[in-house]
Structures are given as structure tokens and as C-alpha cells.
Amino acid sequence: MATKLGVNPTSLYNHVPSLAAMIEDVRSLVSAEIDSAPLRTLAWEDGLREWARSYRRAFAEHPRAVPLLMTNPVTASVLLAEYEDFAVAARTVGWPDRDILPLLTAFESFILGSVLDMSGPTVVFDPRGQEEQFPTFASAFATLDDEDPADPIATRAFEMGLEMLVASARPPR
């Protein structure tokens, strides 16, 4: 961050009291772009979809922040307010309090994993030259020729995974 600003890294501490505070400031800036209103205004499943897409878009703009933000607990009120919306919506559909944090963590792990997936190569696996050894996988890989070269998998994988998560997002009876 300091290099990008053209200052000495220790100069940043003239503006923030600690590394943890700086991390929370970054978290606040990125998280401010997440729209948790759908969790308050839409049906549970629709709200989850819109919130998750918003979360992904916000962090897609800053994928390198994801590993950094995983180093400290969340205390940023902007994100805690969004977590409150998630918790209220989850409780409303019947999730017990003890399961709300694992449910939120499952969604966040999936969303942030998708962000990291987007920030790498567009295709992370390549069986070319090994088609005889892995014929089924190579056949699946060949279908990528028909996809958008800029985003052949990441968005489709996100939407597919999101639908699977949302389909199981009701509390067990």
C-alpha cells in the first residue's frame, strides 16, 4: 500500500495506530460496497443470491485484499452491520443462533474463494497432451472452447455453487 502511495511504509502509521487498524480500514472500504439490503427486503433465497453477488463484486475489485483480511478478526462496523442483516434473515427462516455463524462462514468461504479463483488464471487446469490418460477430463476441458475466453469458468462456477448453497440454505427440519 505504501509503495502505491509513494511513501515509506512506516509513514502509514502516522495515520493509523496499528496494522490491525489499517486492515480494518481496508475491510471497511471494500465492505462498504456490499449490499445487504436484499437480505432485509427479499425472500430468503433471493436475498442470499443478491447479497452473495454483491459481496463477490465488491471483493472482485480488490482480490489481493482477501488474504490480508483473513489475518484479523472483523470489527469494522460496516461489515458487522451486514452480518447483522444476515443473522436476522437467517433467524427469521428458522436457523438457530448456534448455526448462524457456520452458515455465514460457509457462504463467505464460497464467495471469497470465488474471488480468489477470479484473480488467478482464467483456467487453472490443463490436460492438453495427456488426453489419453485423462479422457473424460480432457473432454470436459475441450468444452471451454465454446465459452467466453475472458471468463470461461469462474462466473459459471460461482452461479452453480451459489445455487447449490441457496438450495440447502433452509434449516434442517
Side-chain angles (χ1 to χ4, degrees):
M1 186 181 314
T3 305
K4 198 171 191 174
L5 296 172
V7 299
N8 185 311
T10 58
S11 299
L12 293 175
Y13 291 105
N14 293 328
H15 305 282
V16 292
S18 66
L19 178 59
M22 189 181 318
I23 290 170
E24 280 309 281
D25 286 348
V26 170
R27 187 186 320 274
S28 293
L29 289 170
V30 176
S31 298
E33 300 302 315
I34 300 169
D35 182 9
S36 62
L39 293 169
R40 294 188 309 272
T41 60
L42 300 177
W44 172 240
E45 288 84 356
D46 294 333
L48 283 173
R49 285 183 194 93
E50 293 308 309
W51 166 77
R53 290 175 183 135
S54 169
Y55 204 133
R56 183 177 184 247
R57 279 190 306 273
F59 276 85
E61 296 295 317
H62 312 281
R64 291 185 189 183
V66 173
L68 172 70
L69 299 179
M70 298 298 107
T71 62
N72 288 52
V74 175
T75 59
S77 61
V78 65
L79 190 53
L80 292 175
E82 293 163 6
Y83 289 164
E84 178 70 7
D85 288 340
F86 184 95
V88 168
R91 184 189 272 174
T92 299
V93 296
W95 283 100
D97 286 355
R98 75 178 304 272
D99 291 338
I100 291 174
L101 293 183
L103 179 66
L104 173 62
T105 301
F107 271 89
E108 277 197 327
S109 296
F110 170 70
I111 295 164
L112 295 174
S114 176
V115 169
L116 293 175
D117 186 41
M118 292 169 56
S119 67
T122 57
V123 179
V124 296
F125 24 70
D126 188 351
R128 288 178 289 198
Q130 301 177 69
E131 291 87 354
E132 280 188 33
Q133 190 175 357
F134 310 108
T136 306
F137 188 75
S139 178
F141 178 82
T143 67
L144 296 179
D145 292 341
D146 299 330
E147 299 299 331
D148 176 0
D151 184 10
I153 299 173
T155 298
R156 284 192 315 128
F158 174 77
E159 290 296 330
M160 182 184 293
L162 181 58
E163 285 307 310
M164 287 188 270
L165 271 172
V166 168
S168 61
R170 289 279 174 174
R173 300 260 173 230

